[in-house]
Amino acid sequence: MKNSKWALWIGVILGVIFLLNIFSGNDSFDYFPLLFFVAGGFLIYYGFKGKSKYSKKSELPTLSKKREQNYIDAGMSDSEIDMFRQTMNQTKKQIDHLQITMNKSGKLRAVDLRHDTIKAAKALFKEIVDSPKRMPEANHFLYTHLPNLVDLTDKFMEINEHEIKNRDTYDKIEESIQIIDQMAALIAIDYQKFVADDLDDLDVEMTIAKQSLKQNGDYKQHEAR
């Protein structure tokens, strides 16, 4: 950001020097001010470009103290926190976009209902946010399955909204909805894999609870005698 500011100011100064040279009344053509002008243009462009990039990055939602502390407690560095937040912010936008798209078509809504696609995506998003260090376990979801599904549903809607459809169009619609269905199923699997340990822990707890109930029941039966 600092480099962008310097580039912007240097570009402005060089531009002013060039204009002053023009209005000074010097009739002889000098390449030096022209060079200043070109260099100034590049620096101004670089300055605005850097400013634009920074603005894009600052679109992240405000980080709460509690959430920041969770990241610190997880042993994450500042760069890791920034990368994680950028990734999850992009993922949230993709999920929101996917939800809007899937609600536009009866066939896409049917896919969503069949696999709980949006529900699974949102649930997995929450799990990753709560366990940031486990983000690599969700790489397929974050970088392949979800982005591909967003692209596929967008393309499906584009074709489906054609005013005039021929046989090839209908075939392409059917083929794409089948692939979308398979990709939606993968997102549900991504969620199930991510929480598999939690389910195993629950199974253990339930087994212990059942044994405890059985022992307690046996004890009560013995007492009744």
Side-chain angles (χ1 to χ4, degrees):
M1 179 61 182
K2 289 180 179 179
N3 291 337
S4 299
K5 280 184 176 180
W6 278 110
L8 185 60
W9 279 110
I10 292 172
V12 170
I13 291 170
L14 292 176
V16 170
I17 292 173
F18 174 72
L19 290 174
L20 288 174
N21 184 77
I22 290 177
F23 290 109
S24 64
N26 186 6
D27 294 331
S28 61
F29 184 76
D30 191 352
Y31 285 99
F32 188 67
L34 180 60
L35 181 63
F36 260 51
F37 179 74
V38 173
F42 274 113
L43 287 169
I44 290 173
Y45 170 76
Y46 174 78
F48 278 117
K49 188 178 179 184
K51 191 173 181 181
S52 174
K53 282 185 178 178
Y54 182 82
S55 300
K56 209 174 208 179
K57 193 175 179 180
S58 66
E59 289 176 1
L60 286 172
T62 303
L63 179 61
S64 68
K65 291 294 182 182
K66 182 179 178 181
R67 183 65 68 185
E68 183 180 18
Q69 190 59 49
N70 287 343
Y71 295 150
I72 294 172
D73 292 343
M76 299 173 70
S77 65
D78 289 344
S79 60
E80 286 176 329
I81 292 172
D82 184 64
M83 184 274 290
F84 177 79
R85 296 189 69 226
Q86 292 285 347
T87 301
M88 297 314 293
N89 186 53
Q90 179 64 22
T91 300
K92 184 180 184 304
K93 289 179 179 179
Q94 289 173 337
I95 294 172
D96 291 343
H97 180 81
L98 180 64
Q99 183 173 17
I100 292 171
T101 304
M102 295 191 93
N103 282 330
K104 291 179 179 178
S105 162
K107 289 187 176 182
L108 293 180
R109 284 196 299 273
V111 171
D112 185 26
L113 289 171
R114 187 156 48 248
H115 300 290
D116 282 330
T117 312
I118 301 301
K119 187 176 179 180
K122 288 183 176 181
L124 182 49
F125 175 88
K126 183 178 182 301
E127 291 288 339
I128 300 169
V129 169
D130 290 340
S131 306
K133 277 293 188 179
R134 294 184 62 195
M135 187 176 76
E137 298 176 36
N139 279 347
H140 288 306
F141 167 72
L142 294 171
Y143 304 115
T144 305
H145 298 162
L146 179 61
N148 284 351
L149 186 57
V150 170
D151 291 340
L152 284 167
T153 50
D154 282 349
K155 182 58 67 175
F156 170 84
M157 287 304 303
E158 182 182 331
I159 296 172
N160 196 48
E161 290 174 353
H162 285 181
E163 291 292 335
I164 300 174
K165 300 181 181 71
N166 56 26
R167 186 65 216 170
D168 288 340
T169 307
Y170 286 112
D171 288 344
K172 191 61 67 177
I173 287 173
E174 288 305 315
E175 181 184 359
S176 62
I177 205 68
Q178 290 175 16
I179 297 173
I180 287 169
D181 188 85
Q182 293 169 17
M183 192 62 67
L186 287 178
I187 287 182
I189 293 171
D190 288 336
Y191 172 72
Q192 292 165 6
K193 285 182 177 178
F194 198 88
V195 299
D197 290 342
D198 293 339
L199 295 177
D200 290 341
D201 292 341
L202 179 60
D203 285 339
V204 172
E205 294 295 331
M206 288 173 63
T207 300
I208 294 172
K210 286 176 182 178
Q211 290 174 348
S212 178
L213 289 169
K214 185 176 183 301
Q215 290 171 358
N216 190 47
D218 291 343
Y219 175 75
K220 286 184 176 179
Q221 286 178 7
H222 181 73
E223 238 185 6
R225 292 175 188 171

